Amino acid sequence: MRAEHKSKTGGLTAAGRRHFKRTEGANLKSQLSSGTNPRRISFAARFAGMKGPMKDEKGRPTRKALALKKWGFGSVEAARNFARRHKKS
């Protein structure tokens, strides 16, 4: 993936979403930073189980950390708690 497809603040740019639609047929949507939309709950559940550091060896936030922040979560634990609170049984 080219640099112009990645947002510096996390996730994909509009150009990145268009690229994946064109090349892979994916219908990607932008992030939701608040509310209890099922997409946001699903994102929180997926990222709550992701392994990997929140900072790289130079102390910069990883793509995982940036994505969590973009979706409105400060940490993996915050995403996990949100997913647990809003999951449908």
Side-chain angles (χ1 to χ4, degrees):
M1 181 173 11
R2 291 168 46 178
E4 69 240 22
H5 298 151
K6 294 182 197 178
S7 170
K8 290 189 188 317
T9 59
L12 294 173
T13 61
R17 290 190 298 276
R18 279 194 308 272
H19 168 76
F20 279 105
K21 184 172 182 86
R22 192 173 51 251
T23 60
E24 298 179 18
N27 186 21
L28 303 174
K29 296 175 177 54
S30 62
Q31 72 285 342
L32 301 167
S33 59
S34 64
T36 58
N37 185 294
R39 277 182 44 226
R40 188 162 185 254
I41 296 167
S42 175
F43 171 86
R46 283 194 322 272
F47 270 65
M50 274 188 78
K51 299 201 182 328
M54 293 291 280
K55 295 198 182 257
D56 66 8
E57 60 278 348
K58 292 184 179 178
R60 297 175 300 205
T62 60
R63 297 295 295 173
K64 172 185 160 184
L66 292 172
L68 280 165
K69 185 174 181 184
K70 192 84 161 197
W71 281 78
F73 303 108
S75 65
V76 172
E77 291 77 26
R80 183 177 299 123
N81 292 336
F82 178 83
R84 280 192 188 136
R85 270 195 325 270
H86 296 96
K87 75 176 183 177
K88 292 184 179 177
S89 303

